[in-house]
Amino acid sequence: MERKTIINLVIWTVTLAVFWLLLSGYLKPLLLGFGLASVAVVVFLIWRMDNTDKEPQKLTLNPRFYRYLVWLIGQVVVSSLEVAKLVWGSAKNLSPATAKLPITDIPKNSRVLYANSITMTPGTLSVDIDDKHVTVHALDEESIKSLQEGEMASRITKATGEKN
């Protein structure tokens, strides 16, 4: 096995293990064993897929990506407050909308991250994605307008450092 492959698998292993620990929060031996087994299975599958398609999936773990995550968490908090206002307020304030947003400016490997980021933000949901558009449903038209301005798309492109 090549050195690059080993380094890539070690990065995946550490990242998945830390993510599992953060999400579970349990340090009991049985649960740690389950976590270790699940990480091992996923890393094995990553290795098999990389060998099959010869396109290793590398994690983009750089300061720009972490800045994006911090920004996204801030957007989730802000959106949560806005959704709470909409839900607890008058029904007149709700203005559900659906729109197709262009994704041709976003690198192909980052389009799913874009769609998932939209879905993670309360009040918006990625309904469909194809080669040119992502279809988004929102509780409020302002959310669609905000996405159309393109800040999230440009931040994802900067965070991943990929070219289209």
Side-chain angles (χ1 to χ4, degrees):
M1 206 178 325
E2 290 182 29
R3 180 177 164 87
K4 285 183 181 181
T5 304
I6 293 170
I7 291 172
N8 190 34
L9 291 176
V10 167
I11 290 171
W12 272 108
T13 302
V14 170
T15 302
L16 289 171
V18 168
F19 188 65
W20 187 90
L21 280 171
L22 287 173
L23 289 180
S24 74
Y26 291 106
L27 298 176
K28 296 184 179 182
L30 178 65
L31 294 175
L32 287 174
F34 287 147
L36 179 65
S38 65
V39 168
V41 168
V42 171
V43 170
F44 174 74
L45 291 173
I46 290 170
W47 174 74
R48 290 281 307 216
M49 288 188 298
D50 289 350
N51 284 338
T52 302
D53 64 8
K54 305 294 184 213
E55 294 180 14
Q57 295 301 311
K58 297 180 180 163
L59 286 172
T60 309
L61 299 175
N62 57 41
R64 295 178 306 216
F65 188 73
Y66 290 116
R67 276 195 300 267
Y68 172 72
L69 285 178
V70 169
W71 175 83
L72 181 61
I73 291 168
Q75 293 303 302
V76 167
V77 170
V78 169
S79 295
S80 296
L81 295 172
E82 290 174 5
V83 168
K85 285 182 200 173
L86 286 172
V87 170
W88 289 101
S90 172
K92 295 178 212 171
N93 294 337
L94 288 175
S95 58
T98 304
K100 283 191 169 208
L101 303 175
I103 57 172
T104 52
D105 292 342
I106 301 171
K108 285 189 178 191
N109 289 341
S110 301
R111 291 176 182 174
V112 171
L113 176 61
Y114 179 60
N116 286 336
S117 295
I118 290 171
T119 299
M120 284 178 57
T121 308
T124 55
L125 176 68
S126 298
V127 179
D128 187 31
I129 187 169
D130 58 34
D131 289 338
K132 296 181 181 176
H133 297 93
V134 61
T135 305
V136 177
H137 177 271
L139 288 177
D140 187 22
E141 284 184 55
E142 289 300 316
S143 298
I144 297 283
K145 289 177 185 175
S146 174
L147 287 169
Q148 288 172 335
E149 290 172 5
E151 182 179 7
M152 183 180 284
S154 66
R155 283 182 180 265
I156 284 175
T157 303
K158 288 177 190 172
T160 58
E162 296 177 11
K163 302 276 191 255
N164 205 1

